[in-house]
Amino acid sequence: MRLSLLCIFLGYALINKAQTSLCGGNLGDNIFTSGNFGSGIPNVVATNPGYAPGFIYTTQVPPDDGEYTITNDIRDWPFVYPTWLRIGDNDVDPDGYMMVVNATFSPGIFYELIIDNLCENTRYEFSADVINLIENGTTGHILPNVSFLIDDVLSYSSGQIPQDEVWHTYGFTFTTVPGQ
C-alpha cells in the first residue's frame, strides 16, 4: 500500500526538508533518504523536479505568485523583491538547495510525495524547516500556514509562520496502519 504526503500552504515561504528529531522513542527507517533538496553549483536548478503539482516551476527568479524554484542562495539572484529576505539555505552544505515557493491567495499543494514499501504498524516522523521570506516589520503580507496531509487527511498544521527571519522546524509523527 502507498502513503501519500501532501503539503498545502498559503503565503511566501522557503522550505528545506529536515531530519530534526521531534520526539524520543523508536522510529521507523528514514523514508526521505536524501533529507533535503540536494546540492550543486548552479544557483537555480535548471530542470523542474516535479515537487509541486499545484505550482509552476520557474528558473526566472524571484518566482511570481503561484511559482516555485529550487535555489541555493537568494543573495545570488540578480533581483529580489524589496520585502524578501536575502538568505542562503540553512544546511551545513554551502551549495545545499532549498525550495522557494511564492504562493497565491488560494491554498495549494506545494510538495507531494508517494512513499512505497513502508512497514505497517510503524511510527514515522516528517519534519521540514520553514522560514517566512518577508522581512520583519513589513506589513501587508499573508503569513504562511503549512498543512501536512497523509492520504488526503490533515495530519498537522504549522499555524501562521512568524515573520521573524528565523528558520522553524515543523513536523509530526504518524503510525502506519495494517496493510499500509
Side-chain angles (χ1 to χ4, degrees), residues 1-146:
M1 189 165 247
R2 299 177 136 190
L3 178 86
S4 174
L5 174 69
L6 303 175
C7 300
I8 298 176
F9 90 112
L10 178 66
Y12 306 89
L14 207 95
I15 310 297
N16 182 29
K17 291 187 289 185
Q19 295 177 349
T20 304
S21 180
L22 296 176
C23 59
N26 297 320
L27 296 172
D29 292 334
N30 182 5
I31 55 178
F32 301 100
T33 54
S34 65
N36 57 41
F37 293 102
S39 67
I41 300 302
N43 180 247
V44 175
V45 173
T47 56
N48 182 355
Y51 293 131
F55 290 81
I56 298 167
Y57 187 75
T58 184
T59 58
Q60 302 299 312
V61 292
D64 288 327
D65 289 355
E67 296 181 344
Y68 78 103
T69 195
I70 305 294
T71 185
N72 54 22
D73 200 327
I74 292 174
R75 295 170 293 207
D76 292 339
W77 292 0
F79 170 78
V80 178
Y81 296 122
T83 58
W84 280 26
L85 299 175
R86 287 136 183 91
I87 61 173
D89 186 20
N90 71 331
D91 195 324
V92 295
D93 181 346
D95 297 321
Y97 287 121
M98 58 192 166
M99 180 181 200
V100 177
V101 181
N102 190 346
T104 64
F105 290 101
S106 300
I109 297 171
F110 74 92
Y111 185 83
E112 182 175 34
L113 180 66
I114 303 291
I115 305 162
D116 290 314
N117 302 316
L118 295 175
C119 297
E120 57 186 43
N121 297 315
T122 301
R123 188 168 54 141
Y124 291 95
E125 175 184 294
F126 177 81
S127 64
D129 288 352
V130 181
I131 189 170
N132 184 334
L133 273 179
I134 304 303
E135 293 177 340
N136 193 9
T138 305
T139 60
H141 290 276
I142 297 169
L143 294 175
N145 183 346
V146 179

Side-chain angles (χ1 to χ4, degrees), residues 144 153 163:
V153 176
Q163 195 173 303

